[in-house]
Amino acid sequence: MKQVAILGATGSIGASTLDVIARHPQRFRAAALSAHRDVPALVELCARFAPEVAVIADPALLDALAHALRERGLATLPMAGAGALDTIAADARFDTVVAAIVGAAGLASTLAAAAAGKRLLLANKEAVVMSGELLVRTARAHGATIIPLDSEHNAIFQCLPRDYARDADAAGITRLILTASGGPFRGWSRAELRNVSVAQACAHPRWKMGRKISVDSATLMNKGLEVIEAQRLFGIDPSRIEVLVHAQSVVHSLVEYADGSQLAQLGSPDMRTPIANALAWPQRIDAGVARLDLVEVARLEFEPPDPIAFPCLGLARAALSAGGCAPIVLNAANEVAVAGFLAGRIGFLDIERVIDHGLQHSVNEAADTLEAIIEVDRAARAAAVGMLQDWKA
Ligand code: NAD
Ligand code: MG
């Protein structure tokens, strides 16, 4: 029986993870759950899954959580605060940690799980982007197993040799090909993108996800973050990571080998497949996912991304080749810009301006401890917030 701690249990990935776990009560137990501020949603999950511990990240809500658990007669132990997330990530009672918090808020707990040698099911791509080599190095030093949940990286994970040791040449790998849906605005011009609404940006044609990643998919920054994530996780040169737009979202990514073979993972666009893969690996279990009908799909379509309409992918690549703390600045500026867009303060095309400005004004030294990363993130956020404060469209 695997004891699973789900950080970000009330989100989209959290819900899909709990769905898979509920299908296999003999194999997995949702033993610890966390949420940001939504006490009622967290308590509902506690009533359904009876975890040992529930963490509310906002420390002001500890009493509300404790009260609600007591009222429902639940024996779950309430905890609160960012530190409590790190505590449950490292708690030896839980062997598997699902890192499904969105954004930099998930960095410390993700690293804590790696340092505790856990099986780490990694959805929180921002943490990977920010942590440079630190996350992979920490996992290695403490015997943690990182299995990516991001559908593209999980597809690549499935297409790599079982003993892959982050050496592409030794494994005969020539390229990783990340597929991208292209988001809701695929094929749109700059002029058409100028006045898009928050609702349009969040209406992803293939995937139902949280609002932040939905906007990232619309700007293609999601794919930019994923290029960096792939470089970090698989230790491959960025020049060998290609992006192809594949709106059908059936081929989730590919690995190309020296002999010309391209291995792909295909399936219905449903996050329960990579989640079930990661939970049960190296075994295979039912994920509750609709079978892919290739006759219905009939043909597979691919096209190159449009770098003029969607410059965020290029900004992410530039940050990756600049190295040092540039990816941390990229991520921080993007998080602030996306929050500004979601709040109606800036337009869709302003997101790339905030990021570009952040990158141009970043000092490029290395940041390879948690404290240094948090400090770079804090400064980059402050700069981006300052830019939004006296924003002129
Ligand atoms: P979401 O917004 O639906 O859920 C986010 C979760 O994080 C919630 O449980 C929320 O309570 C928690 N949270 C938010 N802010 C927090 C904070 N400051 N402190 C503590 N907890 C906080 O997001 P999601 O779509 O589930 O995405 C989660 C992560 O997984 C993101 O990094 C995203 O990029 C990645 N991801 C998601 C999908 C998907 O299909 N949804 C696919 C691939 C990768
Ligand atoms: Mg993805």
Side-chain angles (χ1 to χ4, degrees):
M1 183 81 143
K2 281 194 186 131
Q3 306 289 332
V4 186
I6 306 173
L7 308 180
T10 52
S12 160
I13 292 287
S16 295
T17 304
L18 287 167
D19 183 281
V20 176
I21 287 178
R23 287 165 198 277
H24 302 279
Q26 273 77 41
R27 276 177 179 266
F28 307 110
R29 171 163 181 241
L33 303 175
S34 89
H36 187 202
R37 293 200 174 108
D38 192 342
V39 170
L42 183 58
V43 171
E44 261 334 297
L45 295 180
C46 291
R48 189 159 164 230
F49 292 95
E52 309 260 310
V53 188
V55 175
I56 196 82
D58 183 341
L61 293 171
L62 178 60
D63 286 348
L65 175 62
H67 179 79
L69 288 170
R70 226 179 302 119
E71 218 165 46
R72 298 282 291 264
L74 300 171
T76 300
L77 175 76
M79 292 176 73
L85 295 171
D86 304 354
T87 304
I88 59 167
D91 190 320
R93 284 175 296 170
F94 317 128
D95 38 64
T96 302
V97 174
V98 180
I101 291 173
V102 59
L107 173 66
S109 52
T110 301
L111 284 168
K118 299 298 178 76
R119 172 180 288 219
L120 176 53
L121 276 47
L122 193 53
N124 180 204
K125 64 188 81 183
E126 295 89 351
V128 186
V129 167
M130 295 173 76
S131 61
E133 290 293 304
L134 180 62
L135 176 62
V136 169
R137 204 171 62 220
T138 305
R140 252 200 194 166
H142 299 276
T145 306
I146 297 179
I147 307 184
L149 292 187
D150 211 348
S151 57
E152 297 77 3
H153 305 75
N154 183 267
I156 289 168
F157 174 77
Q158 292 193 46
C159 297
L160 288 173
R162 175 77 81 84
D163 60 356
Y164 181 66
R166 299 183 87 247
D167 184 340
D169 285 331
I173 295 166
T174 44
R175 279 190 305 166
L176 302 182
I177 302 170
L178 296 176
T179 54
S181 69
F185 306 134
R186 186 177 59 91
W188 290 35
S189 68
R190 302 280 298 169
E192 291 169 317
L193 289 172
R194 187 145 290 123
N195 294 313
V196 299
S197 69
V198 168
Q200 283 174 304
C202 288
H204 197 276
R206 298 275 171 222
W207 302 92
K208 173 101 194 61
M209 310 179 287
R211 279 155 67 85
K212 192 266 176 180
I213 184 176
S214 296
V215 175
D216 285 347
S217 297
T219 61
L220 252 63
M221 179 53 90
N222 183 50
K223 213 48 56 178
L225 297 175
E226 289 184 358
V227 168
I228 303 176
E229 181 185 10
Q231 189 281 323
R232 305 281 193 248
L233 292 180
F234 304 120
I236 192 160
D237 193 81
S239 64
R240 297 210 220 164
I241 305 173
E242 192 172 319
V243 172
L244 278 185
V245 174
H246 168 58
Q248 295 158 297
S249 299
V250 163
V251 177
H252 298 304
S253 279
L254 309 92
V255 178
E256 184 188 76
Y257 288 91
D259 60 7
S261 299
Q262 293 187 351
L263 300 195
Q265 186 258 350
L266 285 72
S268 300
D270 187 323
M271 288 307 293
R272 291 176 300 173
T273 294
I275 289 166
N277 171 264
L279 276 170
W281 184 85
Q283 296 175 344
R284 298 275 181 175
I285 57 169
D286 173 44
V289 172
R291 305 282 125 189
L292 179 66
D293 180 347
L294 282 175
V295 173
E296 198 178 296
V297 174
R299 42 181 66 73
L300 295 173
E301 289 158 359
F302 300 91
E303 65 197 47
D306 176 352
I308 311 281
F310 303 101
C312 283
L313 179 55
L315 289 174
R317 280 198 185 273
L320 181 57
S321 44
C325 58
I328 308 171
V329 174
L330 173 95
N331 179 68
N334 182 55
E335 285 196 35
V336 171
V338 170
F341 172 70
L342 286 170
R345 300 192 51 181
I346 61 171
F348 184 75
L349 292 182
D350 297 329
I351 295 172
E352 70 204 36
R353 289 172 61 193
V354 176
I355 301 163
D356 192 26
H357 184 269
L359 285 176
Q360 280 176 31
H361 291 81
S362 71
V363 283
N364 214 9
E365 63 221 20
D368 58 3
T369 63
L370 176 59
E371 294 68 33
I373 293 167
I374 288 173
E375 180 48 31
V376 173
D377 174 70
R378 194 201 53 73
R381 263 167 215 278
V385 166
M387 188 180 175
L388 290 204
Q389 251 149 18
D390 33 41
W391 186 260
K392 300 211 179 33

